[in-house]
Amino acid sequence: MTLTMPYAPQIVQNHLLSLKDYSPSEILELLALAAELKKPENKHLPLLQGKVLGMIFEKSSTRTRVSFEAGMLQLGGHAIYLSTRDIQMGRGETIADTAQVLSGYLDGIMIRTFDQATVEELADNSSVPVINGLTDDFHPCQVLADLLTIQEHFGTFKGKKLTYIGDGNNMSNSLMIGAAKVGMDITVACPPAYAPKPEMIELAKSIAVHTGSNIQVTANVVEAATGSDIIYTDVWASMGQEAEALERMKHFQGFQVNEQLVQHANSNYIFMHCLPAHREEEVSTEVLEGPNSVVFQEAENRLHAQKALLFALMAK
C-alpha cells in the first residue's frame, strides 16, 4: 500500500458515531490502513498536513486525549483541546450552534461525552467529520484498537471466541457490535442486573445474522471463559458511576478475571482491558501483568487505529 495524499480508504461514512454504521469491509480497510501506519517508516507521513482537529472533552481522559493529539501531530496536522468548562457549550450554547461554529474553524471534531444524543446532534449540525471518542452507550475508537490487536495476534477473527466479563456498558455494547461485524463469536458474562440493554443485544444479533457471529449473554463466568481466545474486562463502575461503586462491587463478586478463571480459556489466550484498570477488583495483578496480557499493546493501538480513522474521514 503506497500512502500518498491522493489515497483515501473506501469509507462512505462521514462520521464515526458507532461501529454499527460501518460495513465489515470498511472496518477491515481501516484495520489494514492502521497496520500500515503503524510501520516505523510510515509514522510521520504528512497525510493531514494543515488539518485541524477539535477535541471536546466533557469526560476526562488519558488514552483518548494523548492518542488523538499525538496522532494528528504525526499526520502533519494539529489538535486543539476543548474542555466543556472552557467553551460556551458548557455555559448553555446549543450543541447545534457549537457544531456550526466549530465547522467553520476545524476539519474534524472528536467529542468524549456522556450522552450519545449529544454526539449525534453534533454530527447532524456539523459540516466536518465528527468522531465519537466515548459516550455512555458506545466506545467505537477503543474497539477499532481492540480489533487491530486481536488481528495482530491471531491473523483472523473467524473461529475466535471473545469473552467479555464485567459491566454491560459502552464497552460490552461496542465489542458485541465490533465482533458481529467481523464474524467473531462473543460471550458477555455479567450479573443479571448489569447486563447490556436488550436493544444492544438485539442490534448485535441482527448484525451477526449476516456474518455468522455467535452472540451470547450469560451470568456463568466459567461457561463464558471456557474455550476463549480473548478474555476482556473493564472497570465495574465507569465515570459518572462513582457513587454506585460500593454497591456494584457487591454484585460483581465472582466476576473478577484471575488466574483461576483464565485456566478455562485456551492456553494461547490473550487478556485485554481498555484501561484504566482497578487492580484486584475486576482483574488480578497476576493476570494484568502476566504473559498473556496485551493491554499495553492494545493501548498503543489506539494511536494507530485512530490515525487510520482520522485520515479516512478528514482527507476526503
Side-chain angles (χ1 to χ4, degrees):
M1 182 185 293
T2 301
L3 298 176
T4 58
M5 280 302 292
Y7 174 81
Q10 298 303 304
I11 306 298
V12 301
Q13 305 299 326
N14 294 319
H15 309 288
L16 175 63
L17 310 182
S18 166
L19 285 179
K20 65 184 174 65
D21 303 316
Y22 279 60
S23 68
S25 62
E26 287 177 317
I27 292 172
L28 293 175
E29 183 152 7
L30 284 173
L31 297 180
L33 177 57
E36 288 296 316
L37 291 174
K38 188 173 181 177
K39 294 178 179 177
E41 63 269 26
N42 292 333
K43 182 176 181 180
H44 292 290
L45 289 175
L47 301 173
L48 293 179
Q49 190 160 13
K51 302 280 188 179
V52 182
L53 175 73
M55 306 186 303
I56 301 174
F57 284 89
E58 191 174 12
K59 284 187 173 185
S60 59
S61 168
T62 299
R63 280 149 290 275
T64 297
R65 178 176 179 179
V66 177
S67 58
F68 269 108
E69 195 161 338
M72 281 300 295
L73 181 63
Q74 290 177 13
L75 290 168
H78 183 70
I80 301 174
Y81 175 79
L82 302 168
S83 167
T84 52
R85 295 186 299 273
D86 303 326
I87 62 175
Q88 297 300 324
M89 195 173 91
R91 298 179 63 245
E93 183 170 51
T94 67
I95 297 167
D97 287 354
T98 299
Q100 292 182 73
V101 169
L102 292 181
S103 294
Y105 302 145
L106 305 170
D107 301 288
I109 301 169
M110 187 283 298
I111 180 168
R112 182 178 170 93
T113 186
F114 291 90
D115 195 344
Q116 180 71 15
T118 300
V119 179
E120 293 174 359
E121 185 175 354
L122 195 69
D124 287 343
N125 292 278
S126 172
S127 59
V128 299
V130 171
I131 296 171
N132 179 357
L134 174 142
T135 66
D136 288 347
D137 286 336
F138 300 113
H139 199 353
C141 291
Q142 178 66 53
V143 172
L144 284 175
D146 296 339
L147 293 175
L148 177 62
T149 307
I150 293 167
Q151 190 175 63
E152 287 174 338
H153 275 267
F154 297 110
T156 183
F157 300 110
K158 299 295 183 182
K160 298 302 174 184
K161 178 184 176 181
L162 165 63
T163 294
Y164 173 89
I165 298 172
D167 189 24
N169 58 13
N170 49 13
M171 278 313 310
S172 66
N173 296 341
S174 292
L175 285 167
M176 286 192 298
I177 293 169
K181 288 284 185 178
V182 299
M184 181 168 53
D185 294 340
I186 180 169
T187 298
V188 174
C190 49
Y194 295 93
K197 295 176 183 177
E199 58 266 30
M200 295 296 180
I201 300 170
E202 289 308 309
L203 171 61
K205 287 185 175 181
S206 70
I207 296 168
V209 167
H210 304 286
T211 62
S213 173
N214 182 37
I215 313 288
Q216 291 188 339
V217 178
T218 180
N220 188 323
V221 291
V222 171
E223 177 185 285
T226 300
S228 294
D229 300 289
I230 306 105
I231 300 284
Y232 198 120
T233 192
D234 189 12
V235 295
W236 292 338
S238 299
M239 279 182 286
Q241 298 172 335
E242 289 82 2
E244 305 173 21
L246 291 177
E247 181 65 23
R248 283 171 167 266
M249 199 170 292
K250 297 175 186 175
H251 288 272
F252 281 94
Q253 292 305 307
F255 286 82
Q256 184 188 80
V257 177
N258 51 39
E259 277 298 315
Q260 291 71 39
L261 183 62
V262 299
Q263 287 177 8
H264 298 280
N266 292 336
S267 59
N268 65 337
Y269 87 98
I270 58 174
F271 171 73
M272 303 181 74
H273 193 306
C274 55
L275 301 180
H278 293 172
R279 296 165 184 247
E280 306 308 328
E281 289 185 17
E282 75 274 5
V283 59
S284 67
T285 300
E286 192 174 15
V287 169
L288 184 69
E289 296 183 353
N292 298 79
S293 176
V294 297
V295 296
F296 297 111
Q297 176 186 344
E298 175 188 6
E300 180 191 328
N301 279 341
R302 287 288 302 276
L303 172 67
H304 309 301
Q306 286 161 191
K307 285 174 70 175
L309 178 66
L310 288 166
F311 178 45
L313 293 179
M314 292 175 63
K316 290 184 180 180

